Amino acid sequence: MKKLILALVFTTAVAAPALADDTYSLVKDTVGNCSAAVTSTEYPGMTIVGDKTYSSLQDANKALDDVKDCAGLVR
């Protein structure tokens, strides 16, 4: 149930209307799930994975496939 709630939080944060100039980073939650998120927004309890940013959500989601040590991927 906790994973489902976190997945919903990720999905809501990523799917929220964003400005065209936003960039995306890869983040990991407290249970180890990884997702793409808007870089300019703070997500309590999340840590940024890697140092690269992506210009589109599509590019960030593709990069999730290369992330190691994730318990799961939330897209």
Side-chain angles (χ1 to χ4, degrees):
M1 184 63 153
K2 192 176 199 180
K3 286 185 180 183
L4 177 63
I5 292 170
L6 287 172
L8 290 173
V9 169
F10 271 154
T11 304
T12 303
V14 172
L19 299 173
D21 61 345
D22 277 338
T23 58
Y24 298 87
S25 296
L26 305 181
V27 295
K28 185 188 283 190
D29 67 13
T30 56
V31 242
N33 294 317
C34 295
S35 181
V38 177
T39 303
S40 60
T41 306
E42 289 189 33
Y43 302 96
M46 308 284 177
T47 55
I48 295 178
V49 179
D51 57 354
K52 188 172 181 182
T53 58
Y54 304 89
S55 58
S56 73
L57 180 58
Q58 223 174 8
D59 291 341
N61 279 328
K62 285 180 188 175
L64 279 173
D65 295 329
D66 297 328
V67 177
K68 306 276 189 253
D69 300 327
C70 291
L73 301 177
V74 180
R75 295 178 197 237

